[in-house]
């Protein structure tokens, strides 16, 4: 199992709109690709020097092949939606985490 993690710092001026969009549109769209088995939004509990609010959005995917298929078939379209709506109001970086053990 892999977690595709997107960490996002969003400007406070669009924070509420972004969060609503994530919950009601973006995450459902990501899940509708059928490549992810679940998703969660976590608020990062540190104050950033640059301001804004930071979140980690974690998508569960069964294996590397499925994640690579997402990159090939869906990633550009999914990422461009956020860029179009929130342009210069956020910064994001992505990491891939392999689940070694869960209890």
């Amino acid at each position: 199992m892999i977690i595709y993690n997107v960490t996002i710092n969003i400007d406070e001026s669009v924070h509420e709109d972004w969060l609503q969009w994530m919950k009601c549109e973006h995450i459902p769209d990501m899940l509708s690709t059928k490549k992810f088995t679940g998703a969660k939004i976590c608020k990062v509990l540190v104050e950033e020097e640059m301001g804004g609010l930071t979140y980690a959005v974690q998508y569960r995917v069964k294996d590397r092949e499925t994640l690579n298929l997402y990159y090939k078939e869906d990633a550009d379209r999914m990422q461009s939606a956020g860029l179009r709506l929130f342009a210069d109001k956020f910064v994001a970086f992505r990491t891939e985490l392999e689940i070694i053990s869960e209890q």
Side-chain angles (χ1 to χ4, degrees), residues 11-102:
D11 190 278
E12 289 184 47
S13 67
V14 295
H15 167 254
E16 290 298 326
D17 291 337
W18 174 85
L19 193 56
Q20 184 71 15
W21 173 75
M22 286 296 292
K23 291 177 183 178
C24 297
E25 293 181 47
H26 187 68
I27 289 175
D29 287 347
M30 290 285 284
L31 296 175
S32 75
T33 68
K34 303 294 186 205
K35 295 176 177 79
F36 302 100
T37 60
K40 63 182 169 182
I41 302 174
C42 305
K43 186 173 183 181
V44 177
L45 300 177
V46 297
E47 285 190 35
E48 295 290 342
E49 288 182 22
M50 69 170 122
L53 298 159
T54 303
Y55 290 85
V57 183
Q58 299 183 337
Y59 302 93
R60 295 175 72 93
V61 60
K62 67 179 181 171
D63 55 32
R64 161 69 49 205
E65 292 77 22
T66 305
L67 184 57
N68 286 341
L69 200 57
Y70 163 75
Y71 289 141
K72 180 180 177 183
E73 296 178 350
D74 305 294
D76 288 343
R77 174 176 50 85
M78 298 305 291
Q79 292 172 16
S80 68
L83 286 170
R84 188 174 58 253
L85 291 169
F86 301 103
D88 60 348
K89 299 292 185 181
F90 74 98
V91 294
F93 68 91
R94 292 156 181 84
T95 51
E96 298 169 5
L97 309 169
E98 182 180 7
I99 298 174
I100 302 300
S101 174
E102 286 188 290

